[in-house]
Structures are given as C-alpha cells and as structure tokens.
Amino acid sequence: MEVLNFIFRIGVILAVYNFLWWLIMLAVNLLRGGRPKQLFEVYLIKAVRYLFLADVVFLFTVLQAGDILVLNDLLIAGLILLIYFVGKIQSKQHRQSFFSVRGQANIPGMGDLFNRLKPTFDVRYEIAVVVLALVTFYGFYFIPELASNAISNWFLDSILNIEDTPVFGFVFKVIGFFFLVTVLMKVLGGLMTILTGGNRVAPEQKDEDDHFDDFTEIK
C-alpha cells in the first residue's frame, strides 16, 4: 500500500506541476506576443521543464522518506518518471500523425488549419530531453545538495499547498488516482508481455498485419 500511495502522490505532483507550468508558459507567450517558437526554443523550454520536474520529484521523494535518501524510493520514482515521459512522447507522436493525415485532406482551408495545430515533434530531441532529465534525477543521489534551489523549492511548496486546498486539491487527487491506474496498467502490460514472450503473429496473419495506418499503436 505504501508503494501505491507513493505512486498516487507522484501523480498528484505531476498534475499540479503541469498546471503551474501551463500558467507560467501562458504568461511567457503573452509577453512574446504569440510569436511561433523555433524548434530550438521548443526543446530548450521542454528541457528546462523536465529538469525542474525531475528536481521536484527528487525533492518530494526525499521529503516523503523523512528527509533521507532511500535508493528503492528513488528507483521507483525514476521508473514512474520514465513511464510518464514515454507516455508524453507517444501521445505527441500520435497527435502529430493525426494532424499530419488531416493536413493532407483536400478540404479548403482545413489543411492549413491542421498543419498549424500539428505539434512540433522530433523523436531524437524528445529522447535526448528525457535522458537528460533522468540522468539529472539520479545524479542528485550523488550530489543531493544541488537539488535544493529556490525555483524547485518554490514549485514543491506551491504544489503541496495546492494539494491541501479543498477544491483544487480534490481535482488533482482525482487526476492522481487515474495516473496511478494508468501506471499499474502499463506495468502489468509490460509484465504480461515479458511472461508471454510478446505477441506472436501467425504466418497467415502476417500480410494483413503488415498494413497499418498512422494511427496504429506500436508497442
């Protein structure tokens, strides 16, 4: 039960952090006047976002353990972060595929609209940003004093304060519950894949399965 509660609390941390980051980026975009971001800007901002997220989760993990470093807790938290990051990459990849297909539609005006809505996505940069965040997260285990800084401490304090509020706290706890369910389902799915040795495709089904569209989920 302690592990489940830990995953649930991290789900709440992620939800509130994303809300706070959305508010910050809303203010930044207003100051920029809505100017489109270049590829470098998009992934620089994402790198900063993920680095602070890794820092906040590390600080929370230490706080949850009574202000001590517990390697098992850090391994679990790192695994949760990895699942979260992979899910974000898959979601963005699916969105890009969806808008790319819709952008090719021969509907006057709609093609340009879908192309503008298509998110910026480069799987190489996505993976690089995730690896950087995870390396930083586990690097704090060896140099924990670097994790404590004004910005990360502000994020964590704000998140914990919002979590304790009656209305907003309840909303984010509901999100945390669904995050817990999602993580458990992904872990269970991964274990089942390992135990069954993956899905074997019968020879007569090979030709049919070789044809997939942009919405096919590749496990």
Side-chain angles (χ1 to χ4, degrees):
M1 292 299 294
E2 290 184 1
V3 174
L4 295 181
N5 180 65
F6 182 54
I7 297 174
F8 166 75
R9 291 292 306 281
I10 290 183
V12 176
I13 295 292
L14 293 174
V16 182
Y17 178 87
N18 286 331
F19 173 71
L20 293 175
W21 188 266
W22 176 80
L23 292 177
I24 293 172
M25 292 310 302
L26 181 63
V28 170
N29 289 332
L30 289 175
L31 293 174
R32 296 175 70 253
R35 180 175 59 85
K37 300 184 186 71
Q38 301 298 318
L39 183 66
F40 172 76
E41 293 179 283
V42 170
Y43 283 101
L44 176 61
I45 292 173
K46 178 167 288 190
V48 173
R49 174 185 176 182
Y50 282 6
L51 285 173
F52 278 117
L53 176 58
D55 197 349
V56 170
V57 172
F58 179 87
L59 291 175
F60 171 75
T61 303
V62 175
L63 179 66
Q64 189 81 347
D67 291 327
I68 58 175
L69 289 172
V70 179
L71 183 58
N72 287 341
D73 289 348
L74 292 175
L75 291 174
I76 294 173
L79 177 61
I80 296 170
L81 275 176
L82 176 61
I83 293 173
Y84 171 76
F85 288 145
V86 170
K88 296 289 284 186
I89 292 176
Q90 291 176 336
S91 175
K92 201 159 189 180
Q93 192 172 30
H94 293 163
R95 284 175 55 205
Q96 189 198 44
S97 297
F98 174 81
F99 286 115
S100 294
V101 172
R102 291 296 179 268
Q104 297 172 3
N106 295 322
I107 304 175
M110 295 302 294
D112 292 338
L113 174 62
F114 283 119
N115 285 329
R116 287 196 297 269
L117 292 174
K118 184 173 65 175
T120 302
F121 180 81
D122 189 310
V123 69
R124 297 169 300 176
Y125 293 135
E126 295 283 345
I127 294 175
V129 169
V130 168
V131 170
L132 177 62
L134 291 175
V135 168
T136 301
F137 176 81
Y138 286 114
F140 287 141
Y141 178 77
F142 303 98
I143 316 177
E145 57 271 15
L146 292 181
S148 182
N149 56 76
I151 297 177
S152 297
N153 290 334
W154 175 83
F155 268 121
L156 182 58
D157 291 340
S158 300
I159 290 170
L160 295 178
N161 288 333
I162 292 175
E163 183 184 6
D164 291 335
T165 57
V167 178
F168 283 107
F170 174 76
V171 172
F172 288 117
K173 285 175 182 177
V174 171
I175 298 174
F177 170 77
F178 283 108
F179 178 82
L180 169 63
V181 173
T182 301
V183 169
L184 292 178
M185 290 179 63
K186 288 185 177 181
V187 171
L188 180 61
L191 291 176
M192 291 299 295
T193 301
I194 293 174
L195 293 175
T196 59
N199 295 325
R200 299 184 182 276
V201 180
E204 62 271 16
Q205 295 178 336
K206 185 177 186 300
D207 291 338
E208 179 181 352
D209 290 342
D210 280 345
H211 299 283
F212 58 88
D213 55 29
D214 292 323
F215 304 102
T216 302
E217 181 179 359
I218 302 175
K219 301 292 185 182

